Amino acid sequence: MAVGLINGRLAADEEARAEVDVLNSRLEKTSQLTKKIQACLARLDATGKSVRDVAGPLSGETKKLQVLGNSKSPGPSSPYLVHHIDAVIAAIEKLRSPADSKNDEEQIIRMGPEKAGLPNYLASIKRLNKALNDMKASNLRSTQQTVADLQRLVKTGNSQLESSFDKLLRSETPRAIEPLHYLTKNMPFPVLSQEKITRLGLVNSYLTGVHQQNTGAGSSQESPVIKIYAEVRAQYLLSTLGNLATASTNTAKKKTPEAVYRAGTNGMGTYAQAMEGLFLAEYDNICSIFMREDWGPVFQATCQPALVELGRTLRELNSHIKSHITTDCYLAYEIVEIISSLSSNLENRTGELKSSLAAALKPIRETAKSSLVDLLEETKRQVNSLQTLPADGAPTPLATQTMQRLQSMVNFLRPISSIMISIGDGGWKSAAASKGGATDTIPSLVSFDVGADGQEIFAHYCADTIETLLSSLDARARVLYQQKKAVIGVFLANNVTVIERMINESGLVTLLQSRLQVLDVWRKKATALYTETCKEISIHLFDTVHTNRTARPGSGQGMVSSASIMKGLSSKDKEKIKGMFTAFNSGFEDMVARHKQFTMEKEVRQMLAQDVQHMLEPLYNRFWDRYHEIDKGKGKYVKYDKGSIAAVFRSLY
């Protein structure tokens, strides 16, 4: 019985030990699970990948697991424990996945956009940026190393994209092209290929976004892509236009100093035409690659070096024009029109470059304005510098030169009209007025009514120029001809006729038709000077002798015959009449001789001959009718009868 009791106790003890072993086994498994969890947490801390939304729950769940691990009550199949273990493992995997994918993205970045393919490369770098932003948002100390690695990768990727943009753009950009090839064949200037534009646009879109994100700026003007584009394409534009800039200055050089500039002979027109074509093609490229708000700044930056070179060329041409103002002022007018048209065309298409072109044009525009004053002053100076005038009263070449200058100006009426409007009517009368109020803006030629104010003001300028010329010639003639009125009259009349003829034979006629009274005034002055001699001669035809009352015809009687008058004269009166005939003959013959010796324009000769005839012939005929019997037909005193003196007058024509 004792044995049975012992066996019973042994069995009970054995069963108790078995239960203890089972509990120990369960505790061992729980301990191992706890160690695994701790190892996972250690790896999590080492790899440094977590997000804010799981960091809190992970810490809470870990504490719960630690409590459970130390508890002996739950069994190995506890659903509560299994649930939390699965949640922790999922969170860990979520945190580890970006870190694990970093290696894959790094391989793509190392390959570069050319080998990896641009779309694949951009997708990779965008994923890296997202992972980097997520990790920065978690703000965990354990992620600092991974953040640094990702930043390095993103920076490398961005740098490679910039290099790819530069390389792609340069591969499509020649050093220069021959602009005349496109101009002469009327071909559009080349633009970048559509395939390259697409790739460049993708890179720009990404890098511009990165730049704005990093700087917090709304504008992308300082974007490295914009700088690259402007640098590469600006050099292309500058090199392409370089030869035309040089040609513009070379074609301005004069073979003969007196040669007057002829419209279209300078290379500036071709230069501007090429610039317009190239700039518009470049604007199309920019609009296809960059965002709308960047079009203007990129276009300005790209064109700026070429505009600087244009400004240098125009300054060089301006120096040349100032040195040859009387012959090359027309080049200034032509350039004003060319650059104004260029500015207008570019502004209409792009809305840009107006102020830059105005600044480049300003020196020549100011020279064109001041030339109006300079030319008037030069006219005075040239006249006053004359040391002699033609002894026969022939017209001076200065009259022809001055009118040729005005005729040439008509060929540049559009730019001259803009200048005239800018200085105002009569503004050329003051050098200060022509140089004052200058601005860096280009008046639009399209906005001017050239058929109205511009032409009227220019016509006024032409009339002032003619008045200045004739006034100066009159003053100089009175000095050099020593108050010899007849030759002064011939000289002025000849110049007036030359001026009038050159007006009527050119485009000036429509402008000056209503202003020719200035010539009528000077024509009357010339006639008055010339016919002063006639007045001196006519004095001899005004008799003051008194005849007997019986010699006078009564009321209703016919003309008293010369013989009757002679009978009524005293010997003293007869001698006086003889002296008057003699004095008239001498003065008249001298006048006729000098008239034939003068060099006169056809119109002048006829005009003056007619004036002389109208002034002297009626007086002589009256005098002859009264006193021709003084020498009884011998011709000693009365050398001309009515018919013969009429013939002399006709010979003056």
Side-chain angles (χ1 to χ4, degrees):
M1 187 168 178
V3 173
L5 182 60
I6 292 171
N7 289 335
R9 287 178 178 176
L10 290 174
D13 290 341
E14 189 67 31
E15 184 178 351
R17 279 195 294 271
E19 289 179 358
V20 170
D21 289 340
V22 170
L23 289 173
N24 286 335
S25 175
R26 290 179 178 177
L27 286 173
E28 181 66 26
K29 288 181 179 181
T30 302
S31 177
Q32 289 177 357
L33 180 59
T34 301
K35 289 179 180 180
K36 288 182 179 180
I37 292 172
Q38 289 174 343
C40 289
L41 290 173
R43 284 200 305 275
L44 173 63
D45 188 60
T47 58
K49 188 63 179 176
S50 180
V51 290
R52 183 178 294 137
D53 58 337
V54 297
L58 176 62
S59 178
E61 293 303 322
T62 302
K63 289 180 181 178
K64 290 179 182 179
L65 288 173
Q66 288 174 341
V67 171
L68 290 172
N70 293 326
S71 174
K72 297 181 182 179
S73 59
S77 59
S78 171
Y80 182 78
L81 178 61
V82 172
H83 169 75
H84 283 283
I85 291 173
D86 290 341
V88 170
I89 293 173
I92 292 171
E93 290 301 322
K94 184 177 181 181
L95 290 170
R96 287 185 58 188
S97 60
D100 293 340
S101 65
K102 175 175 70 72
N103 296 330
D104 297 332
E105 307 295 0
E106 186 171 6
Q107 289 181 359
I108 296 175
I109 298 301
R110 297 297 181 194
M111 290 174 65
E114 286 80 14
K115 292 183 179 179
L118 183 60
N120 187 33
Y121 190 89
L122 287 172
S124 174
I125 200 170
K126 287 177 182 177
R127 289 192 296 269
L128 284 174
N129 270 303
K130 184 178 184 306
L132 177 60
N133 292 333
D134 288 345
M135 195 159 283
K136 284 181 178 179
S138 71
N139 200 25
L140 291 175
R141 195 185 338 173
S142 59
T143 64
Q144 291 178 356
Q145 182 58 47
T146 302
V147 167
D149 291 341
L150 290 176
Q151 286 177 329
R152 176 180 51 80
L153 275 178
V154 169
K155 184 177 181 180
T156 300
N158 291 343
S159 178
Q160 287 185 342
L161 281 174
E162 291 176 17
S163 298
S164 176
F165 187 94
D166 184 282
K167 182 178 179 182
L168 189 62
L169 186 61
R170 290 184 187 278
S171 69
E172 189 76 359
T173 303
R175 183 182 179 280
I177 61 173
E178 177 48 64
L180 292 178
H181 170 76
Y182 296 91
L183 293 178
T184 54
K185 295 186 177 181
N186 199 26
M187 296 168 55
F189 282 86
V191 295
L192 300 175
S193 67
Q194 189 57 49
E195 186 265 337
K196 294 293 193 299
I197 282 178
T198 301
R199 292 169 63 84
L200 292 169
L202 287 172
V203 176
N204 168 71
S205 178
Y206 167 75
L207 289 178
T208 298
V210 171
H211 170 76
Q212 292 178 338
Q213 182 180 357
N214 292 340
T215 60
S219 172
S220 56
Q221 293 185 29
E222 299 300 321
S223 167
V225 175
I226 291 179
K227 293 180 180 179
I228 291 171
Y229 186 93
E231 177 185 347
V232 174
R233 298 298 291 183
Q235 187 58 46
Y236 155 72
L237 295 176
L238 186 63
S239 299
T240 297
L241 293 169
N243 288 338
L244 293 179
T246 302
S248 297
T249 55
N250 288 342
T251 51
K253 295 177 181 177
K254 303 166 75 70
K255 295 181 180 178
T256 55
E258 299 80 14
V260 176
Y261 177 77
R262 291 181 295 107
T265 55
N266 183 260
M268 181 53 64
T270 304
Y271 185 15
Q273 188 180 358
M275 180 174 287
E276 180 181 342
L278 283 165
F279 281 11
L280 291 178
E282 203 58 43
Y283 189 71
D284 289 341
N285 290 334
I286 291 169
C287 292
S288 299
I289 295 173
F290 296 93
M291 291 182 290
R292 178 67 183 86
E293 60 268 22
D294 294 330
W295 292 355
V298 178
F299 187 54
Q300 287 272 6
T302 304
C303 297
Q304 193 57 39
L307 292 174
V308 170
E309 178 63 15
L310 173 65
R312 185 201 64 78
T313 302
L314 291 178
R315 288 192 299 274
E316 188 172 342
L317 287 171
N318 187 53
S319 298
H320 167 83
I321 292 168
K322 289 177 124 180
S323 301
H324 306 84
I325 193 68
T326 57
T327 57
D328 284 12
C329 59
Y330 318 106
L331 176 57
Y333 309 146
E334 183 175 76
I335 290 174
V336 167
E337 179 169 23
I338 289 171
I339 302 302
S340 297
S341 297
L342 172 64
S343 175
S344 177
N345 293 341
L346 289 175
E347 186 184 19
N348 289 339
R349 278 285 306 276
T350 70
E352 303 291 338
L353 304 185
K354 182 175 181 178
S355 60
S356 298
L357 287 168
L361 180 61
K362 183 179 179 181
I364 282 189
R365 183 172 179 80
E366 291 305 306
T367 296
K369 289 167 64 176
S370 64
S371 71
L372 301 173
V373 178
D374 295 339
L375 292 174
L376 283 173
E377 294 301 318
E378 180 64 14
T379 298
K380 296 178 185 178
R381 187 197 66 77
Q382 288 180 330
V383 172
N384 292 333
S385 66
L386 292 173
Q387 299 302 311
T388 60
L389 290 175
D392 57 1
T396 174
L398 284 178
T400 301
Q401 293 173 14
T402 302
M403 294 310 298
Q404 284 176 340
R405 185 167 69 236
L406 294 179
Q407 286 176 340
S408 297
M409 284 182 169
V410 176
N411 297 328
F412 304 93
L413 186 56
R414 281 175 58 83
I416 287 178
S417 293
S418 76
I419 294 167
M420 291 291 177
I421 293 173
S422 67
I423 66 174
D425 195 1
W428 54 83
K429 294 179 181 179
S430 167
S434 70
K435 295 176 182 178
T439 62
D440 282 348
T441 59
I442 300 179
S444 172
L445 293 175
V446 177
S447 67
F448 290 133
D449 184 359
V450 181
D453 292 347
Q455 286 191 1
E456 282 298 311
I457 298 174
F458 177 62
H460 186 186
Y461 175 78
C462 292
D464 275 3
T465 300
I466 293 170
E467 177 66 29
T468 299
L469 172 65
L470 291 174
S471 298
S472 301
L473 289 175
D474 179 40
R476 194 62 180 159
R478 292 177 186 274
V479 173
L480 296 179
Y481 286 132
Q482 300 178 346
Q483 298 299 320
K484 295 177 181 177
K485 295 181 178 180
V487 68
I488 295 174
V490 172
F491 176 72
L492 290 177
N494 278 331
N495 286 295
V496 167
T497 299
V498 168
I499 291 170
E500 185 174 41
R501 183 187 302 138
M502 295 186 72
I503 290 173
N504 292 330
E505 293 176 352
S506 68
L508 289 169
V509 66
T510 55
L511 293 170
L512 298 179
Q513 206 162 24
S514 62
R515 296 179 181 268
L516 292 180
Q517 61 268 25
V518 65
L519 296 181
D520 293 334
V521 171
W522 280 101
R523 189 180 288 109
K524 290 177 181 178
K525 288 182 180 180
T527 300
L529 286 167
Y530 186 76
T531 55
E532 278 291 319
T533 303
C534 297
K535 291 179 182 179
E536 296 171 2
I537 296 172
S538 67
I539 292 174
H540 304 301
L541 301 177
F542 291 103
D543 58 308
T544 56
V545 296
H546 300 281
T547 62
N548 295 331
R549 290 184 178 272
T550 56
R552 295 181 180 180
S555 178
Q557 296 179 347
M559 183 182 297
V560 179
S561 67
S562 178
S564 300
I565 292 174
M566 288 298 103
K567 291 177 182 179
L569 294 178
S570 65
S571 297
K572 184 179 178 180
D573 288 337
K574 289 179 180 179
E575 289 300 319
K576 186 176 180 180
I577 295 298
K578 291 177 182 179
M580 293 174 70
F581 267 112
T582 301
F584 172 81
N585 293 336
S586 175
F588 181 70
E589 289 169 357
D590 181 62
M591 184 203 71
V592 170
R594 282 188 288 111
H595 181 90
K596 293 181 178 180
Q597 290 174 356
F598 286 133
T599 296
M600 300 182 187
E601 298 293 320
K602 181 180 178 182
E603 300 90 334
V604 173
R605 188 171 295 280
Q606 292 180 350
M607 177 188 72
L608 295 181
Q610 186 179 56
D611 289 337
V612 168
Q613 185 176 13
H614 287 172
M615 184 175 288
L616 292 179
E617 188 174 32
L619 293 174
Y620 183 82
N621 288 344
R622 169 194 168 279
F623 196 78
W624 185 89
D625 285 338
R626 292 176 62 83
Y627 304 115
H628 67 272
E629 288 295 332
I630 192 69
D631 62 358
K632 298 180 180 180
K634 296 178 181 179
K636 182 178 179 180
Y637 302 106
V638 184
K639 296 181 66 173
Y640 305 99
D641 59 18
K642 290 182 178 180
S644 61
I645 202 167
V648 174
F649 281 126
R650 287 195 296 272
S651 71
L652 299 181
Y653 288 84

